[in-house]
Amino acid sequence: MTVPTLPARIFMATDLSARSDRALSRAALLARSWSRELTVAHVVHNADVDRHDRLMSTAPSWRRPESWAKALERTLRDDLAAEDITAKALIVVGSTADSVLRAANDDGAGLIVLGMAKDAPLDCIQLGSTVDTLVRQSRVPVLNVRRRVRGAYRHVVVATDFSEPAMHALRLAAHWFAGARLTIFHAYSPPGATLTSGPAAKASWRTAVTEQCESHLAAAALPAAIEAALNRVLEQGNPEVLLPDYVASADVDAVVLVRKAAAVWPEHCSAAQQRTFCTRWTATRWSCAGREPARLARRPGSLSHAPGKQPHGRWQDR
């Protein structure tokens, strides 16, 4: 069994807008609490840099400023200094998702932190593009921050399908947030549930899922104190409905979803289901990478089912 370790470095991507402030605060808090180095990066497109510099090249010599990229880097350093945040400031020129991944890899990052807009329709668009690309391609965990930072995470939920990647995510959450209340969440829909909906059938499925959960936890080999305190939530029903509702009602600070559940919704969901899940979401999402798994069989109705390359997921705080 591979013992999880804290990330060597933290990489935070910002668009320099107010919506990134919460992500910056969370990244700085994690860096301080884990005694890790933080890099804060802003990505600009080549065309934008060239256009800006070309326009300024026609100005009188005494009004020609430094290159736009250099000016942005200075602005970013000033912002970090104003917030008393110790971090490396970095301007990356290129396309957003690819450049973030390349820069994070070059930086040796073990965690990527993002801040997304709170507006639901815009957030759905972003989750389906930049964030979704990052989660699917990143080899390290990705944290998407929404909630204002009020301190360390107090309640962390790990959504599971009882797979090997989900087991790795559980171990990671237990190690990274040892002081938080930890909940394992599994939503299931038995095959033919509409035809066998009596109390006996429901009880039988509940027993089977409970046994599967305990077997999963035994294999995870969590520290005894953490396993004893672990809250188990096993619920029959639609995960796109149940998980966001539980997060909203149980004062959850962060949620861990594992690839291919990493994309907040299971990959087989329709666009309409994705929008529904997204607009109901209120917590910060982490995407958590695991080890290379064997191809996994689909579990009908599970929150996630995945063959994997490197298994990933998303963590998100409220």
Side-chain angles (χ1 to χ4, degrees), residues 25 32 34 40 44 55 75 94 115 142-144 154 172 183 192 208 249 254 257 262 298 311-312:
S25 296
R32 287 195 300 269
W34 291 341
V40 180
V44 290
L55 287 173
T75 298
V142 177
L143 167 62
N144 177 27
R154 298 163 300 170
L172 196 68
T183 294
S249 61
L257 294 170
R298 175 172 178 173
H312 294 209

Side-chain angles (χ1 to χ4, degrees), residues 72-307:
L72 289 172
E73 183 179 344
R74 180 165 44 79
T75 298
L76 181 54
R77 287 199 305 267
D78 290 345
D79 288 347
L80 294 173
E83 296 295 327
D84 196 24
I85 294 175
T86 302
K88 171 185 173 184
L90 180 66
I91 301 299
V92 181
V93 179
S95 62
T96 305
D98 291 343
S99 296
V100 167
L101 289 172
R102 191 180 308 111
N105 182 67
D106 292 344
D107 195 55
L111 171 66
I112 297 174
V113 182
L114 306 171
M116 308 311 297
K118 191 174 182 61
D119 178 72
L122 177 59
D123 193 41
C124 284
I125 293 171
Q126 291 170 321
L127 286 171
S129 54
T130 302
V131 174
D132 192 51
T133 299
L134 286 170
V135 169
R136 292 183 180 281
Q137 297 183 7
S138 176
R139 310 299 290 185
V140 301
V142 177
L143 167 62
N144 177 27
V145 178
R146 286 191 178 189
R147 194 177 193 181
R148 187 182 305 278
V149 176
R150 301 187 180 118
Y153 290 130
R154 298 163 300 170
H155 187 187
V156 176
V157 170
V158 180
T160 183
D161 62 353
F162 304 134
S163 66
E164 182 75 15
M167 185 184 298
H168 177 79
L170 177 60
R171 290 173 182 152
L172 196 68
H175 181 70
W176 283 15
F177 306 108
R181 178 189 176 196
L182 195 61
T183 294
I184 186 171
F185 184 100
H186 178 75
Y188 62 97
S189 296
T194 56
L195 302 176
T196 56
S197 57
K202 289 183 178 181
S204 177
W205 272 103
R206 174 78 182 187
T207 299
V209 170
T210 300
E211 291 175 353
Q212 188 179 21
C213 179
E214 294 308 313
S215 176
H216 179 76
L217 294 177
L222 299 176
I226 292 178
E227 183 176 346
L230 181 68
N231 183 36
R232 294 131 166 104
V233 177
L234 309 173
E235 197 73 26
Q236 181 174 336
N238 184 342
E240 290 91 36
V241 175
L242 294 178
L243 181 56
D245 186 67
Y246 178 76
V247 166
S249 61
D251 197 20
V252 174
D253 296 310
V255 180
V256 183
L257 294 170
V258 181
R259 185 174 176 174
K260 291 188 178 179
V264 182
W265 42 80
E267 196 171 69
H268 62 278
C269 284
S270 68
Q273 287 174 310
Q274 294 175 7
R275 287 192 295 272
T276 299
F277 201 17
C278 184
T279 54
R280 289 174 177 171
W281 202 260
T282 59
T284 290
R285 289 183 291 269
W286 286 76
S287 89
C288 172
R291 296 175 298 172
E292 187 82 10
R295 189 171 184 86
L296 301 172
R298 175 172 178 173
R299 295 177 175 83
S302 294
L303 180 66
S304 66
H305 58 280

